[in-house]
Amino acid sequence: MPKTWNETRVAATLGIDYPIIQGPLGGLSSQRLTAAVSNFGGLGSFGAHGLDPHAIQDIIGEIASLTSKPFAMNLWLSMEDDGAASSDAAAFHQALSHLAPHIDAVGGKQPAFSPYKRLRFEDQARVLLDAKVPVFSFIYGVPPREILEEARKQGIVTIGTVTTVEEAVVLEQAGVDLVVASGFEAGGHRGSFLRSSEDSLTGTISLVPQTVDAVTIPVIAAGGIADARGIAAAFALGAEGVQIGTAFLACKESGAPPVHREAILSHHAGHTGLTRGFTGRLARGIQNELMESMNRSGAEILPYPLQRSLMRHLAAPAQQAGKAELLALWAGQSANLVHCVAVEDLLNSLVRGAAARIPSTRDSYSQDKAPTPAI
């Protein structure tokens, strides 16, 4: 019998109906959105990289109470940049001097310096392993061998994110189950780990087929995919699943504040840019006054995660004031394709549209390598 578009190795490995993965969304995740995507038949994800182990444990319990379907918890392997532990009050005040006028403009309170408190990936991962989460996804590197081995023994599916073909090969060699090939069109952070993020800016249409050719594990496409046309394009390139972030971020079920969701849905979100100014690491968001300010020459940027912590002192009052121009508005380059405000409407549109555009096949989804073209 012909296979339908959704019968892929990604879907089979994850135990889901549709190979559609909701991007983890970092600090804008919500238990409600994660569970809703999983209950529909996709894979909901929760970005937990900034949370302490006790908070992660509570969130896993809440998601599990909302869905009996598989879901993913996402962590970052690289938790800090060089200089974070040694950064002092002088560096803090220098970085704050550039941000202080914006905080004043929205009636915020100027923050005081406090010593850096370190979070350890290993402590966070321990919670995921002990809870036997269905899926453990991660960016910014490869987990230690003992963590991957324990995940395998527990029956936990592992998903790693790459921005280059070389990174995908490293993940496969480490024994990771699935790989997300994330093109530079994607919103949020670039999870590069072999070279700098600036030196790893490959587009989705180039990255996906090269990754498919380079590894045997299933490839999930990410970056610039916001509707069923994007899913069909990704499958034509050899992907067996997609990861979508911005379209889910705009849904009312996400953890994004209303002003952020409205900015994505305004159809004026087509101009995005890359910056280190929001967190200390390269990431994509909607171009606005804040991004222009942080990208100016002379703006002092603290190492990750210190810059991220500093920016929170602007985020809360700017949200309260409804000042979109002074918020980090994470979004990918296809933000103007986003129309749905409810997660169920979005998923129905994606599933129906993909079924109409992707032909059934009698072949299994073991990927055939592209033949060498004749010269």
Side-chain angles (χ1 to χ4, degrees):
M1 294 292 293
K3 283 183 176 289
T4 56
W5 74 273
N6 55 305
E7 295 180 272
T8 70
R9 289 186 297 165
V10 167
T13 301
L14 294 171
I16 58 179
D17 297 325
Y18 307 106
I20 298 172
I21 299 170
Q22 167 236 319
L25 306 183
L28 301 177
S29 304
S30 81
Q31 294 91 319
R32 182 185 175 197
L33 176 64
T34 303
V37 175
S38 291
N39 283 331
F40 188 93
L43 184 74
S45 304
F46 192 100
H49 68 276
L51 302 176
D52 66 48
H54 292 295
I56 294 173
Q57 188 174 37
D58 291 343
I59 287 167
I60 292 171
E62 185 172 349
I63 295 172
S65 74
L66 296 172
T67 183
S68 60
K69 302 289 186 68
F71 63 90
M73 296 296 293
N74 181 269
L75 296 178
W76 291 15
L77 275 109
S78 173
M79 299 292 289
E80 64 184 46
D81 287 342
D82 292 341
S86 59
S87 187
D88 58 13
F92 171 84
H93 288 294
Q94 191 170 3
L96 176 61
S97 66
H98 190 76
L99 201 63
H102 297 313
I103 296 175
D104 287 340
V106 290
K109 181 180 179 181
Q110 297 293 337
F113 173 76
S114 59
Y116 171 50
K117 294 181 180 179
R118 175 175 287 164
L119 281 174
R120 295 180 69 249
F121 164 79
E122 290 79 7
D123 296 337
Q124 296 174 317
R126 183 75 261 159
V127 176
L128 271 57
L129 294 170
D130 289 346
K132 297 181 176 62
V133 295
V135 182
F136 173 16
S137 67
F138 50 86
I139 67 171
Y140 283 115
V142 187
R145 180 168 53 90
E146 56 271 20
I147 289 179
L148 289 174
E149 288 178 351
E150 184 169 351
R152 194 173 300 111
K153 290 176 182 176
Q154 300 273 25
I156 298 171
V157 178
T158 53
I159 305 176
T161 299
V162 304
T163 61
T164 67
V165 174
E166 294 81 6
E167 290 173 349
V169 172
V170 169
L171 286 184
E172 180 176 49
Q173 291 173 344
V176 174
D177 296 312
L178 304 170
V179 61
V180 175
S182 180
F184 69 67
E185 299 93 331
H189 288 84
R190 308 300 304 144
S192 308
F193 60 91
L194 290 183
R195 299 193 300 269
S196 72
S197 296
E198 286 85 352
D199 196 30
S200 305
L201 296 176
T202 306
T204 304
I205 199 168
S206 177
L207 179 62
V208 170
Q210 291 184 70
T211 303
V212 168
D213 286 352
V215 299
T216 60
I217 57 176
V219 175
I220 299 159
I225 302 170
D227 59 18
R229 291 173 295 179
I231 297 176
F235 274 53
L237 297 172
E240 299 183 53
V242 296
Q243 180 170 287
I244 297 174
T246 305
F248 283 110
L249 188 61
C251 293
K252 61 185 179 183
E253 293 87 354
S254 84
V259 65
H260 192 158
R261 291 188 278 110
E262 289 165 7
I264 295 172
L265 293 163
S266 69
H267 306 302
H268 299 293
H271 191 194
T272 65
L274 293 166
T275 185
R276 286 184 176 268
F278 293 164
T279 67
R281 288 186 174 175
L282 195 68
R284 183 177 297 281
I286 299 171
Q287 285 272 13
N288 61 3
E289 179 184 340
L290 181 62
M291 183 181 290
E292 291 174 5
S293 173
M294 300 309 295
N295 280 351
R296 285 192 194 117
S297 176
E300 191 70 24
I301 307 298
L302 294 172
Y304 181 89
L306 304 184
Q307 184 70 16
R308 178 173 179 259
S309 298
L310 177 61
M311 294 294 288
R312 287 176 173 169
H313 295 281
L314 171 61
Q319 287 176 22
Q320 190 171 10
K323 187 68 172 175
E325 285 297 317
L326 293 179
L327 283 171
L329 300 173
W330 307 120
Q333 288 186 327
S334 292
N336 277 354
L337 298 178
V338 176
H339 305 288
C340 295
V341 298
V343 65
E344 188 169 355
D345 291 341
L346 172 60
L347 286 163
N348 274 318
S349 172
L350 295 173
V351 168
R352 290 172 183 166
R357 288 173 171 84
I358 303 172
S360 299
T361 174
R362 295 182 182 274
D363 300 324
S364 68
Y365 271 86
S366 58
Q367 295 296 313
D368 295 328
K369 303 306 180 187
T372 302
I375 303 298

